Amino acid sequence: MKQILFFLFMGLATVAMAQTKVSGVIKDTAGTPIAFANVIFKDSNEGTISNEEGRFYLESDDNYTEVVFSFIGFSSTEVTLTDRSTYNMEIVLEEEAAALDEVVIFTGKQSKKNNPAIDILRKIWENRRENGVKKFKQYQYDKYEKLEFDLNTIDSALINSRVFNGMEFIFDQTDTSNITGNTYLPIFINEAYAKVYGDNLLNEEKEVLEGNKNSGFDNNNTLIAFIKDLYSEYNVYDNYLKFFDKAFTSPLSTTGIDVYNYVLLDSAYRDNKWCYNIVYYPRRKNELTFKGDFWVNDSTWAIKEINLQASKSANLNWVREVYIEQEFDVLNDSTFLITRDYFLSDFSFRKKEGARGVYGKRTTLYDNYEFDIKKDKSFYKEQVDPYQYEVYNRPDDYWEEKRMESLSKDEKGVYKMLDTLKTVPRFKTLYNLGAVLATGYYETNNFDVGPVFSIFGFNEAEGLRIRLGGRTYFSQNDPWRIEGFGAYGFKDERFKYGISAKWLLDRTSRLTVFAGNRKDVEQTGASLTNSNDVLGRSLASSSLISVGANDRLSRINLTTVGFEVEPVKNLVLRLTGSYRNLESATDTFSIDYFDEDGTIRSTVSQPEIELAFNYTPRRKTSGYGVERTIINDGDFPVFYVAYTYGLKDVLNGDFEYKKLQGLYTRPWNIGGLGRLLTTVEVGKIFDPVPLSLLSPIPGNQTYFSLYNTFTQLDYYEFVSDTYASLHVQHNFGGRLFSRIPGLRKLNLREVIGFRAVYGEISEENIALNASNIIYQAPGDIYYEYSVGIGNIFKIFRLDFNFRGNYLNNPDARKFGVTGVFGFSF
């Protein structure tokens, strides 16, 4: 959902006073673009290198009249500038027979042996742990962050577009990027000031927000938090830098010599420190790499300045440009501390030059470092109120004092322009349309209708199903919320419904009470780890098309009540009482069982009490109401343990039993090899229960690739009371396809998967069974595997699934093809 929100934001969104600006393309006499050619203002250290397409942009705050273009094996060319801004130049370099000994320029593969740049790089590796805040036991500093989003590539066609009728005044705030040279229009700005505390002995860090100010989408904290998460913290000394869920190889990585070329270009004083200047660029196309240069001190081997520009051919969706600058200062002549971090990304639906997009810019400044001031471990663990009025309503004089970098004239104008824009009816209409598509709900005063994407469904019991629901919504930080739905099946001619309410009693501990009731048709056993979400519903219950008959459905009447609390950040304790009635929803499926008297019964009435612990370290959330939005979804480990006690003869309960379940899932960034997702689930039911209360191994008879299910299993093909399962899925991110010339430009991505499960079923449970399901447990570990091609048209993945064993089971599916849609970077 967060990706959809972000892309819709891009679609809806769809004068720095530098003295000298030049841009254009460099070619040879045959018209072929020259990649990584050198572009330098004459008699200066200010320069850049062209990208893979030969394009360049260079800007300086100083006045220059000449630019030098050079490339090994070609004659260097000097161009005299007649204007301060010269765009779309076409530079043609001529080949020369003799090498240019006086030109210290670079291209092609550089030697790894006898290369002074690599010798310096090894010194950086040896000393990188001795620099920065990690050198001290404890640390603290002030942090100021400015986040801005801008609509770029502003031209007359856009200005005169009907979309902006009545909003033409916004174009008075246009500016020019000093990185790309494109004109842009600021559309969002957020400022934050915080105190950061860390303890390297405890491996703990805590950031205390003291001030926050924004305009534009000022009450959409989810959008703000998601944007911030796009620019997650990183350290250039790390081997891999993670942006947009992708792991880029750092130019300072110990594996860098395998993916980068390095050239020692220059040496000079930088702030009274003698430094070497090293230029680097990729060895191959389509990999997640950068080009740029850095200055490194000759005694501490610490980075003084570095810039990184992502490779244009990198296998990255929706992002046309990534540019990073970092500056470091010296403490006591030995320790280099970061003082400024600038990150720019250019998001666009098309990577073509001239296509419109959105700039995301983050500027982070650091000051007032202090060290070895110890704080108790409890300081890092204690919960704090996530919302304090004064933090979000600081006066202007506070920001004048705390800003470490003054706002430009245009940035100051953004606040006023965006406040005015929100009063324009046409803008409100566009914003509301985007909200419907992003959230799935249509806002009507304080009640949202939806979700619109689940109106239609189909299954064997209900036939065509129509569902309509809604929720109370005063703001995303509501302390209470009521949700509900009504549904009707045209085949069974029955009405279904669900209603849920929750109330946040305390923001600091997040003490919440909840209750709900649902009467519906459900595909039970769609997952091993059960959920008591009263409004939850699996895709298997309403899939429009499926493999074979999807008739093993149950009618469920579920009531829940309980509370949860978060005593420590990201540790949630939940106590739930539930009561459910279950019966078969079709004539072809039976849940029958023998009761104590040997009588066959067809319904189950069962109250339960469940105590669950859910721990999600590193999870980031937005909001402080009863519902929060997870910002970094799928980027943190999950530990889950639940103990369930079934009650007999209480509320006419049929069975007494105990159940224990556990789940552990974790994503792993495997450096340059892609991203791995693993899940382990274990569980055991300690007493005899009928089919409806057992743990069927979750099959998948839909044509969708559903993680944590077994694609080649039918529903209820395996039934267990004790189980252990493993799911592994690895996305190589195009690392293999990028080596194949015919596939390289398609930016496809390779995905492999492996799924296995072990299960047991007791004789006591088999003796209870009177259903038409023959119990079989995967005592010999069942497994299947898959290979997939992802990033098809940037939004689709196709998986080819293979069954590993139990091939003699009736109607066993040995092979299947499934797919999944999704937005990813």
Side-chain angles (χ1 to χ4, degrees):
M1 184 58 69
K2 67 179 184 179
Q3 288 92 341
I4 297 175
L5 177 64
F6 176 67
F7 292 123
L8 286 165
F9 171 66
M10 289 171 56
L12 286 175
T14 323
V15 178
M17 299 304 293
Q19 299 299 309
T20 313
K21 303 177 183 179
V22 293
S23 70
V25 62
I26 305 172
K27 300 179 179 180
D28 60 19
T29 54
T32 303
I34 301 178
F36 309 123
N38 201 51
V39 184
I40 298 178
F41 287 125
K42 188 175 182 180
D43 300 325
S44 79
N45 287 323
E46 297 187 63
T48 186
I49 55 179
S50 61
N51 64 22
E52 293 96 322
E53 299 167 350
R55 296 191 173 275
F56 67 90
Y57 178 82
L58 180 60
E59 177 179 314
S60 173
D61 291 334
D62 298 323
N63 285 316
Y64 291 103
T65 58
E66 292 179 301
V67 186
V68 179
F69 301 89
S70 50
F71 185 72
I72 193 167
F74 290 76
S75 299
S76 60
T77 297
E78 294 185 10
V79 175
T80 301
L81 304 176
T82 57
D83 297 314
R84 289 192 310 174
S85 299
T86 306
Y87 300 122
N88 300 319
M89 303 171 65
E90 183 169 312
I91 306 301
V92 178
L93 299 183
E94 296 184 358
E95 295 186 35
E96 63 174 15
L100 301 178
D101 294 335
E102 71 278 8
V103 180
V104 188
I105 302 304
F106 40 88
T107 187
K109 292 187 178 181
Q110 302 294 319
S111 174
K112 298 180 183 180
K113 297 181 179 180
N114 302 319
N115 185 334
I118 292 180
D119 294 337
I120 293 173
L121 193 63
R122 291 193 173 97
K123 293 289 186 180
I124 296 173
W125 299 340
E126 293 172 8
N127 293 273
R128 63 180 176 175
R129 298 299 180 190
E130 300 299 322
N131 286 292
V133 296
K134 297 300 181 183
K135 189 174 182 177
F136 302 89
K137 295 179 180 178
Q138 294 87 26
Y139 58 88
Q140 60 187 61
Y141 55 84
D142 297 346
K143 176 182 175 183
Y144 167 76
E145 181 182 79
K146 179 175 60 180
L147 191 69
E148 184 178 322
F149 261 45
D150 316 310
L151 179 66
N152 65 42
T153 316
I154 306 298
D155 56 21
S156 59
L158 181 66
I159 294 173
N160 296 324
S161 171
R162 292 182 179 180
V163 173
F164 292 97
N165 285 350
M167 297 183 284
E168 292 85 357
F169 66 91
I170 66 176
F171 294 105
D172 295 338
Q173 303 297 328
T174 56
D175 204 341
T176 304
S177 169
N178 62 351
I179 305 299
T180 65
N182 288 337
T183 304
Y184 67 87
L185 170 69
I187 54 178
F188 168 85
I189 189 170
N190 184 88
E191 297 179 272
Y193 176 79
K195 293 275 191 179
V196 179
Y197 305 87
D199 191 310
N200 289 316
L201 300 179
L202 300 175
N203 194 28
E204 295 282 0
E205 186 173 275
K206 182 175 184 178
E207 182 172 315
V208 179
L209 181 66
E210 296 198 349
N212 192 89
K213 180 180 182 181
N214 64 76
S215 190
F217 301 85
D218 57 320
N219 62 352
N220 196 330
N221 292 328
T222 299
L223 177 61
I224 295 169
F226 170 55
I227 292 170
K228 286 185 176 181
D229 187 64
L230 287 177
Y231 307 109
S232 55
E233 299 298 324
Y234 54 90
N235 184 340
V236 292
Y237 288 100
D238 290 340
N239 285 332
Y240 298 94
L241 310 181
K242 181 178 170 295
F243 312 118
F244 316 118
D245 292 331
K246 300 289 183 292
F248 287 76
T249 304
S250 170
L252 306 182
S253 169
T254 54
T255 63
I257 57 176
D258 296 321
V259 296
Y260 288 110
N261 294 289
Y262 296 90
V263 177
L264 176 60
L265 183 65
D266 199 1
S267 58
Y269 280 104
R270 310 292 286 186
D271 293 337
N272 299 319
K273 288 291 182 181
W274 189 256
C275 298
Y276 297 112
N277 185 211
I278 293 177
V279 171
Y280 63 90
Y281 54 96
R283 286 183 175 270
R284 292 173 293 272
K285 292 184 177 182
N286 288 79
E287 295 186 349
L288 297 177
T289 51
F290 302 97
K291 69 181 181 73
D293 72 299
F294 56 84
W295 290 86
V296 55
N297 179 245
D298 72 333
S299 58
T300 63
W301 307 106
I303 300 300
K304 185 69 176 68
E305 299 173 17
I306 187 171
N307 71 76
L308 310 94
Q309 188 168 11
S311 172
K312 285 282 188 181
S313 63
N315 193 333
L316 191 64
N317 294 332
W318 323 112
V319 181
R320 184 166 49 185
E321 191 84 54
V322 175
Y323 179 80
I324 301 169
E325 285 181 355
Q326 286 193 342
E327 298 175 8
F328 298 80
D329 204 353
V330 185
L331 177 70
N332 300 330
D333 294 326
S334 60
T335 304
F336 281 64
L337 301 171
I338 187 169
T339 56
R340 186 175 189 273
D341 180 13
Y342 177 79
F343 193 123
L344 176 142
S345 48
D346 182 1
F347 301 98
S348 179
F349 290 113
R350 296 186 299 164
K351 288 191 175 184
K352 182 181 178 182
E353 291 289 334
R356 295 190 185 95
V358 174
Y359 287 141
K361 297 186 290 188
R362 186 188 71 177
T363 303
T364 310
L365 302 174
Y366 306 83
D367 201 3
N368 298 327
Y369 282 95
E370 295 184 78
F371 301 99
D372 298 334
I373 301 176
K374 188 175 181 179
K375 292 185 176 295
D376 292 336
K377 188 174 183 178
S378 60
F379 169 79
Y380 296 98
K381 297 295 185 182
E382 66 181 352
Q383 290 279 63
V384 296
D385 189 339
Y387 179 76
Q388 300 176 53
Y389 178 84
E390 63 275 12
V391 170
Y392 292 88
N393 294 275
R394 299 291 190 187
D396 290 341
D397 56 357
Y398 172 89
W399 290 105
E400 292 297 329
E401 176 188 352
K402 296 299 183 181
R403 284 188 185 111
M404 301 179 195
E405 180 179 89
S406 298
L407 295 181
S408 68
K409 176 183 176 181
D410 299 299
E411 288 171 334
K412 292 177 180 178
V414 172
Y415 282 105
K416 181 178 180 181
M417 182 269 287
L418 291 174
D419 288 339
T420 304
L421 183 62
K422 288 183 292 183
T423 66
V424 178
R426 188 174 185 84
F427 176 79
K428 289 182 179 180
T429 300
L430 292 173
Y431 183 80
N432 290 337
L433 175 62
V436 172
L437 296 175
T439 66
Y441 287 89
Y442 176 74
E443 298 181 15
T444 58
N445 295 324
N446 296 321
F447 188 80
D448 292 354
V449 178
V452 297
F453 304 117
S454 61
I455 292 178
F456 297 101
F458 181 86
N459 59 61
E460 295 291 336
E462 298 176 280
L464 177 64
R465 168 190 172 99
I466 295 180
R467 179 190 189 277
L468 191 63
R471 64 183 182 183
T472 60
Y473 196 94
F474 297 87
S475 76
Q476 69 172 22
N477 295 312
D478 290 344
W480 59 271
R481 182 152 293 156
I482 299 175
E483 298 180 71
F485 75 88
Y488 182 80
F490 286 88
K491 182 177 180 179
D492 64 0
E493 299 180 339
R494 294 195 184 194
F495 177 76
K496 295 90 180 173
Y497 68 87
I499 187 168
S500 170
K502 58 189 74 172
W503 183 18
L504 178 67
L505 301 177
D506 179 66
R507 283 200 306 255
T508 302
S509 65
R510 293 204 57 80
L511 175 61
T512 303
V513 295
F514 56 87
N517 174 254
R518 175 166 63 100
K519 188 175 183 180
D520 204 355
V521 170
E522 181 68 282
Q523 174 66 62
T524 59
S527 63
L528 279 173
T529 305
N530 295 333
S531 170
N532 279 322
D533 181 5
V534 73
L535 295 185
R537 184 175 174 84
S538 69
L539 180 64
S541 304
S542 298
S543 180
L544 293 175
I545 54 175
S546 62
V547 179
N550 179 16
D551 59 347
R552 296 176 177 181
L553 298 159
S554 300
R555 298 197 188 279
I556 181 171
N557 190 342
L558 170 66
T559 301
T560 63
V561 62
F563 71 90
E564 68 178 30
V565 65
E566 190 173 336
V568 178
K569 185 178 181 180
N570 291 330
L571 174 62
V572 177
L573 281 63
R574 172 180 287 202
L575 182 64
T576 305
S578 66
Y579 183 83
R580 72 188 68 205
N581 287 305
L582 294 160
E583 62 180 18
S584 174
T586 65
D587 295 333
T588 55
F589 174 57
S590 167
I591 64 169
D592 293 353
Y593 64 94
F594 295 103
D595 66 10
E596 294 175 338
D597 300 326
T599 303
I600 295 178
R601 297 184 58 183
S602 301
T603 62
V604 175
S605 297
Q606 190 60 56
E608 293 179 342
I609 296 176
E610 180 187 79
L611 178 63
F613 301 83
N614 193 51
Y615 182 48
T616 52
R618 300 201 309 271
R619 182 186 64 168
K620 299 177 184 178
T621 59
S622 166
Y624 50 86
V626 69
E627 291 183 347
R628 295 181 296 178
T629 301
I630 298 175
I631 302 304
N632 57 334
D633 193 15
D635 196 34
F636 52 86
V638 175
F639 300 85
Y640 177 82
V641 176
Y643 175 80
T644 303
Y645 183 64
L647 303 172
K648 183 178 181 181
D649 298 328
V650 176
L651 299 176
N652 296 317
D654 292 324
F655 293 90
E656 180 180 1
Y657 57 90
K658 297 172 287 295
K659 178 168 63 175
L660 188 63
Q661 292 182 305
L663 176 146
Y664 171 64
T665 184
R666 182 169 183 176
W668 310 79
N669 282 317
I670 314 297
L673 294 179
R675 184 177 175 85
L676 175 69
L677 180 61
T678 59
T679 299
V680 175
E681 293 180 275
V682 294
K684 182 174 180 61
I685 301 172
F686 293 91
D687 303 280
V689 292
L691 177 65
S692 295
L693 301 178
L694 286 171
S695 299
I697 307 305
N700 180 10
Q701 291 180 220
T702 76
Y703 286 100
F704 292 95
S705 300
L706 302 177
Y707 184 76
N708 249 27
T709 66
F710 290 85
T711 305
Q712 298 309 111
L713 283 184
D714 290 339
Y715 304 126
Y716 293 98
E717 185 171 346
F718 288 124
V719 178
S720 69
D721 54 36
T722 303
Y723 64 85
S725 75
L726 171 68
H727 290 259
V728 178
Q729 180 175 287
H730 185 76
N731 190 328
F732 287 93
R735 268 71 173 181
L736 305 179
F737 288 150
S738 67
R739 306 296 179 93
I740 304 174
L743 297 177
R744 182 179 296 153
K745 290 186 178 181
L746 297 178
N747 279 337
L748 299 175
R749 298 171 184 173
E750 322 82 351
V751 180
I752 60 173
F754 178 79
R755 303 172 286 277
V757 62
Y758 168 81
E760 296 177 353
I761 187 75
S762 69
E763 292 297 328
E764 292 84 354
N765 278 318
I766 294 175
L768 279 179
N769 182 30
S771 73
N772 60 350
I773 300 296
I774 299 174
Y775 287 2
Q776 181 184 19
D780 295 328
I781 296 174
Y782 170 80
Y783 71 95
E784 57 188 44
Y785 53 94
S786 62
V787 293
I789 301 174
N791 210 40
I792 300 172
F793 306 118
K794 298 184 180 180
I795 60 171
F796 186 67
R797 190 183 84 221
L798 194 64
D799 292 323
F800 302 92
N801 307 284
F802 302 86
R803 182 168 177 144
N805 57 355
Y806 287 93
L807 299 177
N808 293 325
N809 276 10
D811 301 319
R813 292 182 286 126
K814 300 179 181 179
F815 172 75
V817 180
T818 56
V820 61
F821 289 92
F823 287 97
S824 62
F825 286 108

